[in-house]
Amino acid sequence: MLKYNYFPGCTLKTTGTQLEETSIKVLQQLGVELVELPRWHCCGTVVSLSSDSKIHSAGAIRTLIRAQETGDNKLVTICSVCYNTLKRVNERFNTDEDFRETLIKFMDDEEPYEGKIIVLHLVDIIRKIGLDNIKDAVINPLKGLKVACYYGCLLLRPEEFSIDPSSESPRILEDIIASVGGEPIEFPQKIECCGSFETVHNPTQIAAMGYRIIESARKNGAEVLTTMCPLCYFNLDRTQKIIKKTNPSFLPLPLFYHTELMAMAILPEEISLKENVELNSTVLERIYS
Amino acid sequence: MEITLKKTDITLRDKILKISGEDFNKCYQCGMCTSGCPVADEMDIMPNQVNMMLMLGQFEELLNSQTIWICVACFECGARCPHNIDLAKINEALREIKIRENIDLFNIWETASTGEFPTIALVASFRKFTS
Ligand code: SF4
Ligand code: SF4
C-alpha cells in the first residue's frame, strides 16, 4: 500500500472529525495509507500577511521539521487552512533569506529545516490515484445526485498555491463527484468566501455570506452542497441553523464533505454519517435505496 | 472640486508600505477589488477607497475604520486586481498597526465562550483581532 505522511491539524480532531475519518477510510479503500506524523502541533492557522512577522510562522516550520525527521519528503494535509499556511510558509522559507535565517536561529533547539518538504493536499493524492480508478471502486453510485461543489478561498487563492490549475474556474471537485456517480452543477458562488474566522464574533456576517452561497446553489438546481474545508462546513452548517431559527420555513440544503459522498459510493457499509442523518435523511435514503 | 492637503504623518505611510510589502500607489481605482469583495456591503470604506485614502494620506481615518476588521483575507481582490495589489496584506498591515499598540478588538475569551468553534477559527481570531 502506498503510504504518505499526514498532518491532520487541530480542527480535524475537533469539529472536523467526519472529514478526517472519511478521508482516511476512502483512501485506504483506494490503496493509500495516510500515516499521521508521530508528533505535531498547530500550523499557526492563517498565514501571517505581514512582511515583518516571522514568529507566527514558527508553528508551520516546526511541523515541516517533524515531517523532515521521518525521512520522507512529502506531507499531506486535508484541512484547507493548514494546507494554505504550510504551503505559503514553506515557499517563503525557500525564497526569503532573512525569514529563513531568523527562523533557523529562533529554533536552534531543532535540526534546521532544509526546505525540502513538498506540501500536498488530499486532492493531489486523489489525482494520483486517478479518477478512473475511483470510478472502478464505486459500488453504490450517487445516482445522479445534483451536487453543488463549493471550494471557498484557501484551496484556490493566491493562485500560485491553488489545488486546481484554474483558481477562478476550478473543476477538480466536480470531477471527483462525477467519478462517484453524482451530477455536479455549476453555480456562481462556488469560489466565494464563507466568512472564515469572522464566525467567532460576527455570526450575522457569516449568515449573510452563507445564505448567498446556499441559495445560489439551490437556484442552480443543487440537491446537496459539498465542501472540502472544515471551516466552510462549519460556517455553512451554522448559517443554516441561524436562518432556521429566525425563519422556520427555511429549508436547509443537505451538506456533506466530498469524502463523505465518496465514502457513500465506495464503502457504503462502513461509513457512519451520524451527524448528518437527521438533516440529510432524504438524500441518504435515495443513495442507499 | 477643491482638495486640501492635510499635513500627514509620513512615518505611518512608510510603516504601512513596509508591513504590507504592497505598493498602494500603483492603484488606478478601477474598482475590480471592490466588485469581487464578498464583504464590501459590510464595510464603511470600500477596498478600492482604502488605496485611494492611503494615497491621499488619510491614515487615521483608515485606522479607525470598520473595514480593516471586516476583511476576511479571502484574497479575491488580489486575484482580480490588474496590478496584483494584495489588499488583504494592506488591511492586515493596518490591523497590525492597531494591534501592536496593544489594542484588542474584542474580548476573545468572552466571545469564544459563546459557542463551540473550529480551532482554526479561534486561533485565527486571536491572531487577527488581539494583541
Ligand atoms: S483592483 Fe487594484 S488597481 Fe483596481 S481599484 Fe482595486 S487595488 Fe486599485
Ligand atoms: S481580502 Fe478582504 S478586501 Fe479583499 S476581497 Fe477579501 S474580504 Fe474583500
Side-chain angles (χ1 to χ4, degrees), chain A residues 243-252:
Chain A
I243 300 173
K244 185 88 193 153
K245 235 185 237 162
T246 47
N247 174 11
S249 63
F250 171 78
L251 208 63

Side-chain angles (χ1 to χ4, degrees), chain A residues 11 44 51-52 157 198, chain B residues 18-19 69 74 76 100 127:
Chain A
T11 300
S51 66
D52 60 352
R157 293 185 290 274
E198 290 275 336
Chain B
K18 179 170 178 283
I19 299 179
W69 307 105
C74 72
E76 188 56 45
R100 289 176 194 184
R127 292 267 313 281

Side-chain angles (χ1 to χ4, degrees), chain A:
Chain A
M1 195 179 269
L2 206 55
K3 285 186 183 183
Y4 286 96
N5 281 326
Y6 156 59
F7 171 72
C10 318
T11 300
L12 262 58
K13 299 292 181 187
T14 52
T15 57
T17 48
Q18 276 162 279
L19 173 58
E20 178 177 50
E21 186 195 340
T22 48
S23 299
I24 290 175
K25 284 194 177 157
V26 163
L27 284 201
Q28 212 154 33
Q29 186 72 9
L30 297 167
V32 175
E33 190 186 342
L34 292 181
V35 185
E36 186 171 324
L37 286 179
R39 261 191 325 138
W40 57 265
H41 17 69
C42 175
C43 68
T45 66
V46 283
V47 71
S48 178
L49 299 172
S50 323
S51 66
D52 60 352
S53 155
K54 301 182 179 97
I55 189 73
H56 289 129
S57 300
I61 297 293
R62 275 197 208 279
T63 297
L64 295 168
I65 294 175
R66 297 286 88 81
Q68 175 177 279
E69 284 164 357
T70 67
D72 191 50
N73 72 338
K74 294 191 186 69
L75 182 62
V76 177
T77 54
I78 297 176
C79 169
S80 53
V81 183
C82 299
Y83 166 77
N84 190 278
T85 298
L86 290 174
K87 192 117 178 152
R88 291 188 74 171
V89 170
N90 202 24
E91 163 80 11
R92 189 167 171 199
F93 186 90
N94 282 313
T95 50
D96 178 342
E97 205 181 316
D98 176 45
F99 178 76
R100 178 169 59 237
E101 280 174 7
T102 315
L103 278 160
I104 289 178
K105 271 190 210 137
F106 178 74
M107 288 185 269
D108 58 3
D109 53 321
E110 305 265 17
E111 274 298 304
Y113 177 48
E114 289 166 15
K116 295 205 181 106
I117 298 294
I118 300 167
V119 178
L120 298 170
H121 184 263
L122 177 66
V123 156
D124 295 313
I125 309 303
I126 291 177
R127 253 198 218 99
K128 199 169 156 59
I129 292 167
L131 294 174
D132 285 336
N133 290 329
I134 293 177
K135 229 179 255 169
D136 291 344
V138 170
I139 52 175
N140 181 40
L142 297 186
K143 306 184 174 77
L145 184 72
K146 292 202 170 60
V147 184
C149 300
Y150 174 68
Y151 291 80
C153 313
L154 294 181
L155 294 173
L156 301 173
R157 293 185 290 274
E159 197 182 357
E160 55 273 41
F161 305 101
S162 171
I163 56 161
D164 194 281
S166 168
S167 63
E168 282 289 303
S169 188
R171 286 292 317 163
I172 182 64
L173 188 49
E174 281 84 347
D175 293 345
I176 293 173
I177 294 304
S179 75
V180 293
E183 189 190 312
I185 61 113
E186 278 296 333
F187 71 117
Q189 253 68 27
K190 75 177 188 178
I191 65 164
E192 197 171 289
C193 182
C194 71
S196 187
F197 49 80
E198 290 275 336
T199 195
V200 177
H201 72 287
N202 202 345
T204 328
Q205 186 173 327
I206 295 296
M209 295 171 86
Y211 186 73
R212 214 158 45 203
I213 295 162
I214 292 156
E215 287 313 310
S216 154
R218 200 197 311 266
K219 264 191 213 116
N220 284 281
E223 293 172 88
V224 307
L225 190 60
T226 188
T227 169
M228 303 190 264
C229 169
L231 187 49
C232 296
Y233 184 99
F234 179 87
N235 284 343
L236 291 170
D237 187 47
R238 187 165 189 220
T239 292
Q240 309 217 69
K241 285 178 183 145
I242 294 174
I243 300 173
K244 185 88 193 153
K245 235 185 237 162
T246 47
N247 174 11
S249 63
F250 171 78
L251 208 63
L253 196 59
L255 174 66
F256 294 97
Y257 286 117
H258 63 314
T259 46
E260 289 183 301
L261 293 174
M262 291 176 84
M264 286 182 210
I266 295 171
L267 22 92
E269 302 302 326
E270 262 191 64
I271 278 315
S272 68
L273 296 159
K274 40 191 186 299
E275 286 175 47
N276 275 320
V277 169
E278 201 188 328
L279 171 62
N280 303 344
S281 56
T282 38
V283 176
L284 294 177
E285 264 165 38
R286 182 171 150 200
I287 307 263
Y288 282 96
S289 66

Side-chain angles (χ1 to χ4, degrees), chain B residues 27-33 48 51 81-83 85 87:
Chain B
C27 171
Y28 55 20
Q29 290 294 303
C30 66
M32 289 283 280
C33 48
N48 66 306
N51 277 344
C81 175
H83 279 305
I85 300 171
L87 266 158

